[in-house]
Each structure stands twice: as structure tokens, then as C-alpha cells.
Amino acid sequence: MATKNFQAVDEQRGSMALMSETDIIARILDHIDNKTTDMGHSGWKEPAANYQSIERLDAELALLRRRWIVFCPSAALSQSGDYIARDTADVPLVVVRGNDGEVRAFRNACRHRGVQVASGQGCTSVFVCPYHGWSYGNDGALRNVPHKDGFPGLEKQNRGLVAVECLEKNGLIFVKQDPNSKDQADPTDLPDLIPKEYRVIKSETLEIAANWKLHLESSLEGYHIRSTHQTTFFPVQYDNLTVNETFGQNSRIAFPYQAIEGLRDKPKSTWSTNGRLTFDYHLFPNVVVSTFPDCMQIVVLEPLGLALTRQHMFLLTDCAEDGAALNAVLEGQEFAKVGAIEDREVVLSAQRGLKSKANDYLEFGLYESAIEQFHGALTEELKGITT
Ligand code: FES
Ligand SMILES: [Fe+2]
């Protein structure tokens, strides 16, 4: 198995620069020796009302429509005709790789009476509306209207699916729904996180009865490892030991495994993070890319309501179709799944905690600095958004 080299991490891109693998490992070993961890400067108090206000949720959804956001990894639509249809920031979209290899996004609404022409995911060269059978090519063009003489004057060339801005970059597919918004910084200018040879081996959708931000926050700190993951992650990781970096509005949190100490006696030139730590890349606002030994997971959080989130997960690897390496990846995922269930338990509980009205605000301390970064960026972005 080739060592994964998250090359862009080594690139110096101004504020987008991340530490090299070697520097990260050295910093972690230093933290282990000194019983320290990365810390923020001030902490953050997030009003409980921001998890419970419908106006706030509407503004967050407007933000998700206004900016470029990650829809899925390129590898999820690897073949011509591959598509994924789902609600995105409360709007039904379908994203599809055309016969020409280009990825396009459309509002998933028939130009007759608005019914969704695609559902779930699959591969097709034609979308047929289930209501009256209008059909569209995977380039969005209206192809066929049954009994077309019932629509005198209909110009098929003007009634294709309505396009949404879409681009494919560094192994990710992005969409931007609001054509009039102009992002100051380019949120698609991200490090090259996804190795080219990675393919999707599993995709899964899950609904969680909690606010999307409560769910997200559970990925962004290592302060809970000992308490929440007593018998899963804690025995193989560390209590409250992370390296936290920011790049643009995004964060990267490194969660070391105890196996990292095996590198102490090895020459630095051979140091690799693969199998020694998990990186969580928080791609602001609603995506987390996590690295695991020989695989990675991409999670897109879709807010469905104040206390309902749909999680879309894609698991990617370059391991051969069958064999020991793939089995090891799948076993590792079973282990990670138990940890994810533990996270969901506390997240659901935090959601109930909101109802108790015990807290006017949720307090994030110095060990939860990536959450401070998230809420800081979100507060800034929401200024001036009216819904
Ligand atoms: S709504 Fe699609 S064909 Fe009528
Ligand atoms: Fe956790």
C-alpha cells in the first residue's frame, strides 16, 4: 500500500498553508512529552437561541445557497450519467456527470409542473419525470414531451432543467445556488485533499434528530475523547491532545493514535501520518473530511430543521477490490462507527439540553478552538443576510 501523501498540506499558500506531515508529527510528540495540547486564545460563548431560532436557521440556509459549498466528492460521480439527487439547503437539486464528462447541477424540478425528475442516486442518460413523462438528457436539455400538441408554442430549447452553478476541483464537486452572490474569498480554493486514485466504496445517508451545528461540533475537538469514547478511541488515542490549524474559514484537527510514538526512533524522512492519526478537515460551513488508515470519509451535513440533520457520508479508498487491505479498511470503519454512535448519543443529549433552558449560551473552552473558529466565521458570514 502506497503511503498517502496529502501533498497540498506541504504547500505554502499564505493563509491556506497547513503544516507538513513531519512538523505535525513532531508537534504531537512534543505534546505527548509535555502533556500539552494546542489551545485557543479566548474561547467562545454561542447563544443557545442560535440553535433554536427559525430565523437563524433560515439565514444559515440562505448562506448555504449563497456560497460555493461541497456537494460530493468527484469520485461519487465517476462515470458519465452518474447522478445524485437530494435537497441542498432546502432546494431539490440533481448533480450529474454528462455524456461529455462534464459535471452539471440543476434544480430538480420538471419544467412542466415542478415534480422532481430524479431521486436518490444512479446512472442514466435520461431523466423521465414520473408525473407526465417529460424527459431530459443528462445535459439538462428537454428531450421529449408526450402529446406535445397539447402545448402549442412550447419551445423545447427554452425549457431544459434550470442550471445551478457547479464546478469540479481537486476531487470535489461544488455548487452555488444563488447566481447573484459574490464570495469575497474563493471557498473552493482548498488543499488537494483527495488522492486521485481514491474511489467511493460506500455511501450512506443518516438522519439525526439534532441541530446540524451540535452534530458538527462533535467532530471538531479532542476534549471529549476520554469521556465519550472511554472504551473505543481513548484506549488507542490520547485524552485531549490535538493539533489545530486553520486555513481560510476552515480548520484541520489532528487526532493522534498512540501508534504515532513508534515513529520516535525512525528517521524523519520516513515519517507518515497514515495509520498514525486522523485528520478532520472542517470545510466551512457544513462538510468534514476525515482521514483514516488507507481511506477517508467525506460527510456533508444538510440542515433539515432546527433539530433535524441529514448526514451524507462517502467512504473512499484506493485498496484493491478484494483482499486484506480492503478488509482492514472495512473493519476499521466498523470500529469508527461505534465511536460515531457514541458521538451521536451525546449530540442528541445536547439537543435535549437546549430544551431544558439551563444555558443561555453553550460555552466552548480553550481546547475547543476549532469550534470557536467555526462560530466566528459563521457569525461573520451571517451579518447582513436577510432571508
Ligand atoms: S410535472 Fe413533469 S411531466 Fe408533468
Ligand atoms: Fe467523538
Side-chain angles (χ1 to χ4, degrees), residues 217-222 224-225 228-229 232-233 255 280 339-340 342-344 346:
E217 288 156 2
S218 71
S219 305
L220 302 184
E221 44 87 0
H224 73 281
I225 297 288
T228 304
H229 303 298
T232 49
F233 300 153
F255 297 84
D280 273 1
E342 292 167 344
D343 282 326
R344 280 206 296 282
V346 290

Side-chain angles (χ1 to χ4, degrees), residues 2 61 72 80 83 86 97 104 134 166 204 206 223 281 326 331 340 349 383:
L61 290 168
C72 68
S80 289
Y83 70 87
R86 66 165 196 252
R97 191 175 296 280
R104 299 179 179 84
W134 287 29
C166 179
E204 221 169 57
L206 184 74
Y223 175 48
Y281 292 84
L326 186 63
E331 269 171 35
S349 186
K383 276 183 192 157

Side-chain angles (χ1 to χ4, degrees), residues 3-135:
T3 298
K4 300 302 167 295
N5 178 14
F6 297 95
Q7 301 143 338
V9 170
D10 290 313
E11 286 177 15
Q12 295 299 307
R13 292 212 213 172
S15 64
M16 299 302 278
L18 290 165
M19 291 167 73
S20 69
E21 288 194 71
T22 311
D23 288 348
I24 284 270
I25 292 165
R27 182 140 147 190
I28 288 167
L29 293 176
D30 198 54
H31 278 321
I32 294 168
D33 292 342
N34 296 296
K35 300 197 187 321
T36 51
T37 184
D38 278 12
M39 291 172 74
H41 297 294
S42 55
W44 184 268
K45 291 181 169 60
E46 180 67 7
N50 285 350
Y51 298 84
Q52 298 174 290
S53 141
I54 198 73
E55 290 76 22
R56 170 74 179 216
L57 177 65
D58 285 346
E60 290 166 356
L61 290 168
L63 172 66
L64 291 172
R65 290 190 291 269
R66 199 173 75 152
R67 56 182 282 134
W68 285 106
I69 52 168
V70 174
F71 184 84
C72 68
S74 292
L77 303 178
S78 59
Q79 307 297 318
S80 289
D82 282 352
Y83 70 87
I84 294 177
R86 66 165 196 252
D87 284 3
T88 306
D90 210 24
V91 174
L93 297 185
V94 55
V95 178
V96 55
R97 191 175 296 280
N99 294 339
D100 57 0
E102 283 293 304
V103 177
R104 299 179 179 84
F106 302 100
R107 294 178 190 276
N108 187 8
C110 179
R111 299 303 305 281
H112 178 214
R113 284 162 55 186
V115 166
Q116 276 72 79
V117 300
S119 64
Q121 61 187 89
C123 185
T124 189
S125 58
V126 60
F127 296 108
V128 180
C129 178
Y131 206 173
H132 312 91
W134 287 29
S135 64

